[in-house]
Amino acid sequence: MDIPRIFNITESAHRIHNPFTPEKFATLGAALRLEAGTRVLDLGSGSGEMLCTWARDHGVTGTGVDMSQLFTEQARLRAKELGVADRVKFIHGDATGYFSDEKAGVAACVGATWIGGGFAGTIELLARSLRPGGIILVGEPYWRRLPATEDVAKACLAHSISDFFLLPGLLASFGRLGYDVVEMVLANQDGWDRYEAAKWLTMRRWLEANPGDELAKDIRSQLTSEPERYATYTREYLGWGVFALMSRRY
Ligand code: SAH
């Protein structure tokens, strides 16, 4: 079981697989006022940077689940490197339907909400692992500027304009699901560059090392077209943020 190989190639050198930077994760950890011993569940944990740095900086414990074998291995290595391997655990597997009877103080899905068929389903899934009074975190794109045409949305690698909201609409939709937005940290264009532009050097070096690979043609064509596509579309139109939600029961 694994994710499509192309992501394991283009994001092999990424520690964070979304437009967040280490500073943004630090800001988010501080914003959430995490207490030592808080249990964190992270679905689609990638290379584990959020869990590992929060374990180091805030003393949280946690479990990450990710379908990429490579990213999961990298997460385990990172935990050892940061001296938190006794506090965080990474499971290689499909997080679809995953919940835990050990309730978490923070249940997160940061940039992988297709796991629950969209953010609404993912919030429902995360809620099953959350202790009363706990915080749900979702990382999700939104339109910074509404595309004028469906072609522009597609050039942003969305299926259609209706895939995403503008930021106020996204915040309102969390409310309609019965959640307060209690914090948010938004990515910026520098963070997008770290996520997207970092793929280009990885692709260039991979091509040099793997000229005969069956994916070489795909990677070559991506490397040729991506910088201009990204700068014209994704960088201008797409925002991204992590939203902290608490149930509106009070
Ligand atoms: N939250 C991480 C990774 C975000 S990228 C970070 O902030 O860096 C999306 C992640 O979802 C990738 O690591 C990918 O391997 C993982 N993924 C995709 N489909 C999945 C599934 N069905 N179950 C678990 N993980 C999945």
Side-chain angles (χ1 to χ4, degrees), residues 3 15-18 25 44-46 65-68 71 93-96 110-112 114-115:
I3 59 171
R15 218 167 238 167
I16 298 170
H17 305 266
N18 67 52
F25 270 131
S45 44
V65 183
D66 198 280
M67 207 155 89
S68 164
F71 300 167
D94 189 344
T96 308
V110 176
W114 56 85
I115 283 171

Side-chain angles (χ1 to χ4, degrees), residues 14-205:
H14 284 54
R15 218 167 238 167
I16 298 170
H17 305 266
N18 67 52
F20 253 26
T21 56
E23 294 74 27
K24 293 284 181 182
F25 270 131
T27 300
L28 179 62
L32 295 176
R33 306 169 207 168
L34 294 168
E35 284 170 19
T38 298
R39 188 191 303 279
V40 181
L41 174 69
D42 190 10
L43 302 186
S45 44
S47 298
E49 192 67 3
M50 182 179 86
L51 276 182
C52 291
T53 54
W54 287 2
R56 177 193 62 192
D57 299 340
H58 302 285
V60 304
T61 63
T63 302
V65 183
D66 198 280
M67 207 155 89
S68 164
Q69 176 99 49
L70 174 70
F71 300 167
T72 305
E73 273 163 23
Q74 289 177 165
R76 291 175 184 145
L77 286 175
R78 187 68 172 146
K80 278 193 199 130
E81 185 181 25
L82 297 188
V84 297
D86 56 334
R87 265 176 277 162
V88 293
K89 174 173 91 180
F90 292 98
I91 299 171
H92 173 235
D94 189 344
T96 308
Y98 184 96
F99 64 96
S100 167
D101 290 330
E102 288 183 322
K103 302 294 180 214
V106 175
C109 180
V110 176
T113 51
W114 56 85
I115 283 171
F119 66 81
T122 298
I123 289 168
E124 234 181 275
L125 176 63
L126 292 170
R128 297 172 71 178
S129 303
L130 196 68
R131 69 162 170 72
I135 291 179
I136 287 179
L137 292 181
V138 284
E140 188 68 7
Y142 58 88
W143 295 120
R144 291 178 65 218
R145 288 163 54 184
L146 202 63
T149 65
E150 290 293 342
D151 282 348
V152 171
K154 287 197 169 70
C156 295
L157 309 184
H159 294 104
S160 94
I161 298 173
S162 64
D163 280 9
F164 306 124
F165 292 95
L166 290 163
L167 180 58
L170 179 58
L171 298 176
S173 71
F174 294 133
R176 283 195 299 275
L177 295 171
Y179 286 88
D180 289 315
V181 181
V182 297
E183 258 293 359
M184 67 176 189
V185 177
L186 304 182
N188 59 28
Q189 288 174 312
D190 290 337
W192 270 111
D193 295 345
R194 287 309 78 236
Y195 178 48
E196 295 293 340
K199 296 176 191 173
W200 308 337
L201 180 58
T202 302
M203 288 196 276
R204 177 61 181 76
R205 290 196 167 148

